[in-house]
Amino acid sequence: MCTVSERIKNLKELLFKNKREISLERARLYTESYKNTEGQPAILRRAKATAHILNNVQIVINDGELIAGGRTVKPRSGIASPEMSPYWIYDELDTLATRPQDQFYISEEDKEFFRNELFPFWKDKSLKDLVNSRLPNNVKNAQKQRIIKLNQTDKGQGHIIPSFDKVLNKGLGYMIDEVKEKMKKNPNNNFYKAALITLEATQNHIERYGKLARDMALNEKNQNRKKELLEISRISYKISKYKPDTFYEALQLFWYINIALQYESNASSISPGRFDQYMYPFYKKDIENGLDIEFAKELLRCLWLKMNDVVLLRSQESAKYFAGFPTGYTIILGGLDRNGRDAVNELSYLILDTYGDIKLPQPNLGVRINEKTPREFLIKTIETIRLGTGIPQVFNDEVIIPAYLNRGVSLEDARDYAVVGCVELSIPGKTYGLHDIALFNLLKVMEVTLKESNGNFNSYNELINAIKKNINKYVKDMIEGSNVVDQAHREFAPTPLLSCFVENALKTGMDITSGGAKYNFSGVQGIGVANLSDSLYIIKKAVFEDKEITLPELVKILNNNYKDNEIIRQKFINKYPKYGNDIDDVDYCGSEILSHYCKEVEKYKNIRGGFFQPGSYTVSAHIPLGEAVGATPDGRLSGEQLADGGLSPMVGMDKNGPTAVLKSVSKIDTYLISNGSLLNVKFNPSVLEGIEGIRKFIGFLQSFMRLKLQHIQFNIVSAETLRDAQKHPEKYKNLVVRVAGYSAIFIELNKSIQDDIINRTEHIL
Amino acid sequence: MMKKAIIFNIQRYSIHDGGGIRTLIFFKGCPLRCPWCSNPESQSFKPEIIRRESLCIKCSSSSCFACTNTPEQCPTGAIEKVGKEMDVNEVLKEIKKDIIFYDSTGGGVTLSGGEPLSQGEFAIELLEKLKNLGIDTAIETTGFSKWEILDKMSNHLDRILFDLKIMNKEKSIKIINADIDLIKDNFKKLVKKRINIIPRIPLIPKYTMDDENIEAIINFILSQGIKEVHILPYHQYGISKYKSLGKKYILKSLIPPSSEDVERIKEKMTDAGLYVVVGGK
């Protein structure tokens, strides 16, 4: 393992030294600008507000930094965008610092400023107000019943991969000239005007760093640091106009663009995409010219730390769905290139290496694998997974590329796919995908269907058909609602700066919110396939085949949350096979419903001329989505969580090991869930031990690939988990541990041996 | 009529018993009675009831062991019937589910037990079908059976993990109920057939670890031209299973060998020219 430099150690410490705060600077500047632009078109107001921020926001270069650019002066501060919704912050001002998840400190002074200045200005004028005034009642009802959940109703649009490729190879100055050229021919096009305002402000923002670095250098006593600051200054001035020529310059421009985009949208997941691809030419040229590889690595580490500096402030409710403020600097490595060749390069390895030196939540690394992936790269991937942070996650080209072809994407673009946010699939630099516009709770639809008729169905098929009919009905509501949100963003919150980095927008003269992107999807997630499989199978078997109970009786028991029926509940949990164990009869129950949902969703068009596409992942939303669903036939009590991830089996129900889990998931038509899916698999660290462990793991990943699963990520079971398993054995029935020359079920071992294993596990980690 | 066997577990994703990702088929019933046996549920040829207090919710009784529920009635699975009669196709169906993993990891199927040789005809038919499907096959065995069965079975086996426990004839019969001469004889015949065979030695203090026994094992292995041996140090992890079966574990106070003890024997074997694997991966 590499020893991390003093520089990195200090910068890492700086990130976590103070408690997280909220900075209202962006909100103040944005609002200031808005007061001066009353009556102008929305896109110009947005552009001017963004420019006002970029021109005036306080900037800082921290001691030791090689990559400059920060969203806030204090590290890891949240920033607010009251224009999207002033309400939740207003309501939560006094609890932000103490809420259960993602706390942020806010000063009394700032609270007053928010209450007296920001809130009164934005009240009744925010995006949220616009959305609410337009949502029809049927959509509101579906939301209220918590069958659907619309997102981005109170925050900026993120979940996009800008075309870094273009700005790195052409430079900002070129892009500005391009816009000016367009303006000559289209003098009345407001998008071009807005694009120019924001691009020039970005340029100015970067120059401000150039000046700051120079000023700091003048006063710097340490000669080494002085040199570094002068270099930052030189680079900043250069890349504010010209294209970068070196790896260092390219990294710096990449980061400045990221920061500028953050000011515009304050949105989750403006993701880097295929960083190892577009950065490689710069890296390669530098190395050939004698750049010290250690310096290249140090630059990367500095950049990774920067990515942890940007945290997203969410409402208490939103933090439940996305706990731990994921900001989604999602980088995807390897895979195929546009010509179908293996795309792994030295930089792909270097990124995994330097990540291992940092081991923080960002960048959220992923690896694309396919039949051509080099063995060495697979091994490097596994070695990084073995570090135990759950990074990198793994994506499967063999299914994702065909899935995109099925969505009308060209072969070259499909091969170029990347990942945005968590697991959302996207064609980088070409897509405005609204990947997270809504969630659809399939399990809740089952519950509603059962209750509507009190369980009066004559056959299993009759029930399934009723569920499908209800899915159709609520999908329609979800589409309507999603399109309302989409339209509201277009009218109220266009993103001219972001649009400059999306293919076709500059060509067509349309903001991406108006359909300026090459690909225009809306992604909607169908949730609950595991609990559906388990529940429907019990209905099929216990009610209609074995006639152990009638459906109306069962519905009554569910309505009473299994009260006085614990024995029946235990039977449902323990005596019927469950999803995740590779049993066709069970697995197909849920996959049939999910496929139906997908087929229904893909019929609909959005307002930008693109189509809706389904996905199936929850991130951490399986907890709040579970809160919305009453007791279910799988033995789940009212309000209990759903299965995690999206496609994972229900907690503790997969008893036949990970191969059976992969097989169960493979019965889902993964080609249809082209917006993305998520599978969590837990491993004891011993599984990955030594060269033999790696060898078996390679095979495991290859099988994952051949089974055409889209995504997998690994939890390496910690001692903490094992201790919890001692306290709550009923929750860990499937936890297999390595004991000596054999493996055993953890809870069946006695305490002293369990302790022994716990201690050993800590050694391994 | 399809042959049937009594199977007590089919364990998928076994990664520590032979190469690659494997499925283990556990045959129920064993002619031996090793006091250190860590799978007591494998001994009887009949289905048995096990009771796991840790899963019991006390719905019908204050203790799982006093409960009169049948396994079918028990809602949590705390009371469970171990051992199920299965035909070859049923077992095959489970095995085939993981073919994709065998292929990508160099894995396959390992017959274990109990003693698969005791249900030899079934095992032979199963193995033959596996070989026809191109699946790698292995067996963990005591080697204690009529030669004819082992002979036929070995035609369909890629690897035999062959236990050698107590080499003294009287002690072997007295302690584990096995005729070591028959076992040695079978071993030699397999070697003569050029079957890939790996001896496995359980290291049980007071039973198999004395110098005399270890030397006898080394000499026997070397005399057969075998170069690799696996040693399996004694552990007590099976104790809880004795309890759940209502059986008594007579070695309760036996202390597992120290790592020095294991190292000493490993060295001895290595010095004699053997390649030694501890644990038997």
Side-chain angles (χ1 to χ4, degrees):
Chain A
M1 177 74 45
C2 140
T3 44
V4 173
S5 69
E6 273 308 298
R7 180 200 309 278
I8 296 299
K9 227 185 279 168
N10 292 339
L11 288 172
K12 193 169 170 181
E13 248 175 58
L14 181 70
L15 277 180
F16 299 99
K17 204 162 65 187
N18 302 312
K19 54 188 169 187
R20 285 181 306 275
E21 293 187 21
I22 289 176
S23 160
L24 291 182
E25 200 184 3
R26 177 202 177 273
R28 178 174 59 77
L29 292 167
Y30 192 97
T31 308
E32 256 173 36
S33 171
Y34 250 66
K35 285 180 178 165
N36 294 326
T37 56
E38 207 77 53
Q40 298 181 22
I43 192 163
L44 291 178
R45 298 189 78 183
R46 281 277 282 181
K48 286 174 185 173
T50 303
H52 190 58
I53 300 167
L54 288 167
N55 293 335
N56 293 290
V57 73
Q58 221 188 323
I59 58 170
V60 69
I61 299 172
N62 292 309
D63 198 27
E65 277 182 348
L66 294 176
I67 302 285
R71 204 180 54 166
T72 47
V73 169
K74 289 188 183 162
R76 299 187 90 224
S77 298
I79 67 173
S81 35
E83 74 274 17
M84 296 300 170
S85 163
Y87 303 108
W88 68 263
I89 304 186
Y90 183 80
D91 292 341
E92 295 180 26
L93 277 174
D94 288 324
T95 53
L96 277 165
T98 53
R99 61 187 190 175
Q101 184 67 52
D102 295 4
Q103 297 95 351
F104 283 91
Y105 171 78
I106 178 164
S107 70
E108 287 305 318
E109 201 185 330
D110 275 354
K111 283 186 197 171
E112 283 312 296
F113 177 66
F114 196 93
R115 284 192 187 110
N116 300 331
E117 302 284 333
L118 297 177
F119 183 74
F121 182 81
W122 289 108
K123 189 175 163 298
D124 302 326
K125 276 184 273 186
S126 70
L127 178 81
K128 181 92 184 164
D129 296 298
L130 185 61
V131 170
N132 275 349
S133 70
R134 289 191 184 167
L135 281 182
N137 280 336
N138 54 317
V139 178
K140 281 185 178 158
N141 282 338
Q143 280 235 81
K144 220 194 225 150
Q145 287 188 76
R146 298 173 80 174
I147 293 169
I148 65 168
K149 180 172 189 309
L150 297 173
N151 294 322
Q152 280 102 37
T153 59
D154 57 6
K155 55 176 149 320
Q157 273 300 353
H159 287 96
I160 191 162
I161 306 168
S163 161
F164 290 108
D165 208 19
K166 181 175 173 186
V167 69
L168 292 177
N169 287 302
K170 304 278 190 185
L172 262 180
Y174 173 94
M175 290 176 67
I176 288 173
D177 291 345
E178 195 185 357
V179 174
K180 283 181 177 163
E181 222 24 64
K182 287 281 183 189
M183 286 174 78
K184 278 187 206 156
K185 287 179 205 147
N186 308 278
N188 298 320
N189 180 309
N190 283 330
F191 168 70
Y192 287 133
K193 288 182 200 163
L196 186 65
I197 292 168
T198 51
L199 283 175
E200 285 183 337
T202 302
Q203 204 167 38
N204 182 50
H205 190 69
I206 298 174
E207 281 170 6
R208 289 178 61 207
Y209 275 101
K211 182 168 184 310
L212 176 65
R214 199 180 52 202
D215 293 348
M216 287 171 75
L218 288 178
N219 298 319
E220 179 61 56
K221 302 259 161 31
N222 180 318
Q223 287 307 307
N224 277 338
R225 183 60 186 157
K226 189 182 190 109
K227 252 195 245 163
E228 287 173 2
L229 285 165
L230 288 173
E231 179 67 354
I232 291 174
S233 176
R234 180 195 69 77
I235 290 175
S236 301
Y237 278 119
K238 173 179 171 179
I239 59 177
S240 70
K241 293 188 184 63
Y242 306 105
K243 72 180 176 65
D245 291 298
T246 66
F247 187 54
Y248 191 175
E249 290 168 4
L251 291 175
Q252 182 64 75
L253 180 58
F254 162 85
W255 187 244
Y256 282 143
I257 299 294
N258 268 288
I259 292 296
L261 291 172
Q262 277 290 331
Y263 284 129
E264 182 180 61
S265 294
N266 178 26
S268 165
S269 303
I270 293 168
S271 298
R274 304 189 76 183
F275 186 88
D276 64 340
Q277 301 302 303
Y278 54 75
M279 283 295 173
Y280 182 61
F282 296 97
Y283 171 80
K284 186 166 169 263
K285 202 174 98 191
D286 275 17
I287 293 293
E288 281 164 7
N289 291 336
L291 175 77
D292 180 7
I293 211 165
E294 275 313 309
F295 184 66
K297 283 165 102 172
E298 191 76 345
L299 289 173
L300 286 173
R301 292 184 201 111
C302 282
L303 182 63
W304 305 155
L305 290 174
K306 280 286 175 194
M307 290 178 176
N308 287 282
D309 185 35
V310 178
V311 296
L312 196 71
L313 171 66
R314 297 172 187 273
S315 66
Q316 183 161 338
E317 181 65 14
S318 173
K320 264 197 229 170
Y321 284 79
F322 305 99
F325 30 81
T327 27
Y329 284 107
T330 308
I331 289 177
I332 192 88
L333 306 171
L336 295 176
D337 68 12
R338 296 177 65 81
N339 301 313
R341 297 177 188 165
D342 164 45
V344 172
N345 59 44
E346 294 107 271
L347 197 51
S348 321
Y349 289 90
L350 213 62
I351 290 166
L352 287 173
D353 265 339
T354 48
Y355 173 78
D357 301 334
I358 300 288
K359 279 187 271 183
L360 288 175
Q362 303 294 337
N364 178 17
L365 297 181
V367 164
R368 280 176 49 174
I369 65 169
N370 56 65
E371 294 282 5
K372 295 178 182 173
T373 302
R375 182 58 58 95
E376 292 86 345
F377 192 61
L378 266 187
I379 291 173
K380 182 88 224 167
T381 299
I382 291 165
E383 284 172 348
T384 312
I385 289 171
R386 195 153 66 169
L387 296 174
T389 60
I391 288 176
Q393 47 185 345
V394 180
F395 293 85
N396 184 1
D397 289 359
E398 303 295 341
V399 55
I400 292 171
I401 292 170
Y404 259 124
L405 294 177
N406 183 44
R407 299 278 172 235
V409 169
S410 76
L411 178 61
E412 289 75 15
D413 283 350
R415 283 175 178 153
D416 198 31
Y417 84 88
V419 178
V420 64
C422 304
V423 294
E424 299 88 316
L425 307 169
S426 200
I427 309 300
K430 298 183 167 76
T431 310
Y432 183 54
L434 296 198
H435 295 283
D436 293 278
I437 195 68
L439 291 167
F440 190 92
N441 195 334
L442 290 163
L443 193 66
K444 183 73 189 175
V445 175
M446 181 199 75
E447 186 193 19
V448 167
T449 310
L450 283 173
K451 285 187 178 167
E452 271 170 359
S453 62
N454 290 315
N456 283 308
F457 295 99
N458 294 317
S459 69
Y460 179 70
N461 278 342
E462 208 175 272
L463 168 65
I464 294 300
N465 288 336
I467 291 174
K468 287 180 178 172
K469 230 166 127 183
N470 269 333
I471 287 175
N472 299 356
K473 176 179 151 197
Y474 292 113
V475 161
K476 193 160 168 284
D477 292 337
M478 173 176 69
I479 303 287
E480 248 185 281
S482 301
N483 282 338
V484 165
V485 178
D486 202 349
Q487 179 71 28
H489 277 269
R490 172 184 293 183
E491 290 176 26
F492 182 81
T495 52
L497 181 58
L498 183 58
S499 298
C500 292
F501 299 93
V502 178
E503 194 175 307
N504 274 15
L506 284 182
K507 201 155 73 184
T508 58
M510 282 195 290
D511 191 88
I512 52 173
T513 56
S514 293
K518 181 173 181 187
Y519 297 115
N520 288 286
F521 295 110
S522 295
V524 289
Q525 280 49 266
I527 307 298
V529 68
N531 301 89
L532 259 180
S533 278
D534 298 348
S535 297
L536 289 175
Y537 181 74
I538 282 167
I539 293 177
K540 190 178 179 186
K541 185 86 176 119
V543 174
F544 291 108
E545 280 174 29
D546 298 348
K547 308 209 186 306
E548 296 221 354
I549 186 170
T550 69
L551 198 50
E553 280 165 5
L554 174 58
V555 170
K556 219 175 187 179
I557 289 173
L558 298 178
N559 285 341
N560 289 323
N561 198 21
Y562 290 104
K563 189 166 178 282
D564 303 324
N565 279 302
E566 181 61 15
I567 292 180
I568 288 182
R569 190 176 87 90
Q570 288 295 335
K571 276 197 170 157
F572 286 165
I573 293 174
N574 296 297
K575 296 288 181 163
Y576 293 85
K578 299 289 187 302
Y579 171 82
N581 296 289
D582 193 10
I583 295 158
D584 288 353
D585 287 347
V586 181
D587 300 338
Y588 286 133
C589 285
S591 80
E592 181 191 348
I593 300 290
L594 184 60
S595 284
H596 175 83
Y597 166 80
C598 291
K599 290 285 183 190
E600 191 59 25
V601 160
E602 66 185 28
K603 288 179 189 163
Y604 287 93
K605 260 189 159 175
N606 61 32
I607 61 163
R608 288 165 284 118
F611 279 89
F612 278 79
Q613 64 169 344
S616 194
Y617 55 85
T618 65
V619 193
S620 58
H622 55 285
I623 310 273
L625 289 174
E627 285 170 11
V629 186
T632 40
D634 54 352
R636 205 188 119 270
L637 290 171
S638 176
E640 275 185 357
Q641 69 162 86
L642 309 184
D644 59 83
L647 303 184
S648 309
M650 185 60 176
V651 195
M653 289 301 147
D654 47 331
K655 294 176 185 173
N656 282 341
T659 60
V661 172
L662 295 199
K663 288 289 301 295
S664 273
V665 179
S666 77
K667 287 167 218 175
I668 287 164
D669 193 346
T670 52
Y671 291 80
L672 293 179
I673 36 181
S674 50
N675 192 50
S677 61
L678 198 157
L679 174 63
N680 283 316
V681 172
K682 237 180 230 170
F683 273 117
N684 184 279
S686 70
V687 170
L688 287 168
E689 258 176 54
I691 188 69
E692 186 60 18
I694 285 183
R695 212 173 62 80
K696 280 170 185 161
F697 206 77
I698 290 170
F700 188 76
L701 282 180
Q702 285 172 334
S703 305
F704 151 84
M705 183 176 75
R706 285 170 201 153
L707 287 167
K708 307 292 186 271
L709 273 54
Q710 281 185 359
H711 165 275
I712 191 165
Q713 62 187 21
F714 300 95
N715 286 310
I716 311 299
V717 182
S718 67
E720 205 182 327
T721 309
L722 296 177
R723 279 193 204 99
D724 195 49
Q726 284 183 316
K727 275 185 226 144
H728 308 285
E730 72 283 359
K731 284 189 346 211
Y732 293 91
K733 285 182 205 165
N734 60 333
L735 183 62
V736 175
V737 292
R738 180 77 179 145
V739 264
Y742 76 117
S743 300
I745 306 275
F746 183 74
I747 60 162
E748 290 187 2
L749 300 169
N750 70 40
K751 176 116 188 344
S752 62
I753 296 162
Q754 287 182 345
D755 288 344
D756 177 21
I757 291 165
I758 287 170
N759 293 336
R760 267 189 270 158
T761 304
E762 277 184 331
H763 274 303
I764 294 161
L765 284 173
Chain B
M1 251 272 290
M2 178 85 52
K3 291 186 189 74
K4 293 201 168 186
I6 176 148
I7 304 294
F8 75 88
N9 191 12
I10 296 182
Q11 191 190 324
R12 294 167 67 176
Y13 190 66
S14 170
I15 57 168
H16 299 296
D17 304 270
I21 292 176
R22 307 189 75 81
T23 296
L24 261 58
I25 312 296
F26 289 94
F27 286 74
K28 195 160 169 6
C30 184
L32 272 58
R33 282 295 175 272
C34 308
W36 56 83
C37 181
S38 62
N39 283 332
E41 76 275 33
S42 73
Q43 293 175 354
S44 162
F45 285 91
K46 294 202 186 97
E48 287 169 278
I49 302 293
I50 58 162
R51 293 165 188 273
R52 282 174 293 212
E53 197 80 61
S54 65
L55 297 181
C56 177
I57 55 164
K58 323 270 182 251
C59 65
S60 315
S61 169
S62 61
S63 156
C64 189
F65 287 93
C67 187
T68 55
N69 274 345
T70 62
E72 290 73 32
Q73 288 166 328
C74 172
T76 66
I79 303 176
E80 196 184 357
K81 194 171 105 175
V82 188
K84 187 179 159 195
E85 211 176 47
M86 296 179 84
D87 66 33
V88 172
N89 281 348
E90 282 176 294
V91 176
L92 207 55
K93 189 181 161 199
E94 285 305 305
I95 289 173
K96 285 198 286 191
K97 286 179 170 178
D98 272 354
I99 282 188
I100 195 163
F101 296 95
Y102 312 149
D103 286 353
S104 56
T105 61
V109 173
T110 302
L111 307 189
S112 185
E115 177 48 69
L117 290 174
S118 298
Q119 304 188 62
E121 282 186 41
F122 177 96
I124 289 163
E125 191 181 324
L126 177 65
L127 288 169
E128 196 177 345
K129 291 197 164 169
L130 290 176
K131 285 325 292 178
N132 286 341
L133 291 169
I135 293 173
D136 180 271
T137 56
I139 187 174
E140 297 178 323
T141 181
T142 64
F144 185 61
S145 82
K146 277 194 255 171
W147 166 246
E148 290 71 33
I149 293 172
L150 193 51
D151 184 24
K152 267 195 219 162
M153 211 183 280
S154 65
N155 294 334
H156 310 294
L157 281 164
D158 294 298
R159 205 153 36 287
I160 297 181
L161 303 166
F162 197 117
D163 288 358
L164 291 174
K165 295 170 181 170
I166 298 174
M167 300 302 273
N168 177 290
K169 192 171 166 68
E170 285 80 45
K171 279 190 194 165
S172 177
I173 292 207
K174 201 175 136 211
I175 297 169
I176 63 174
N177 193 35
D179 176 1
I180 188 66
D181 285 345
L182 175 64
I183 292 173
K184 276 157 68 178
D185 211 39
N186 282 339
F187 193 103
K188 286 183 200 162
K189 285 174 177 163
L190 288 171
V191 170
K192 213 172 264 170
K193 275 185 80 178
R194 298 185 180 281
I195 303 291
N196 181 3
I197 180 167
I198 298 169
R200 300 218 295 184
I201 323 301
L203 298 186
I204 319 292
K206 296 185 184 163
Y207 290 95
T208 69
M209 288 176 70
D210 55 287
D211 289 351
E212 194 189 323
N213 196 47
I214 293 295
E215 274 158 31
I217 287 172
I218 292 174
N219 290 337
F220 177 69
I221 294 174
L222 289 175
S223 76
Q224 296 305 306
I226 302 282
K227 291 273 176 266
E228 180 176 346
V229 61
H230 294 178
I231 55 177
L232 309 171
Y234 170 69
H235 57 72
Q236 295 196 325
Y237 304 149
I239 286 189
S240 63
K241 292 199 230 172
Y242 278 85
K243 198 180 163 212
S244 56
L245 278 162
K247 286 188 179 174
K248 218 180 144 217
Y249 187 62
I250 58 165
L251 300 188
K252 227 176 196 163
S253 52
L254 188 68
I255 298 159
S258 66
S259 49
E260 290 81 27
D261 288 342
V262 175
E263 201 46 43
R264 186 177 51 80
I265 287 175
K266 187 182 170 187
E267 239 179 74
K268 206 170 191 169
M269 291 177 157
T270 311
D271 289 348
L274 288 167
Y275 171 67
V276 186
V277 177
V278 181
K281 275 186 196 178

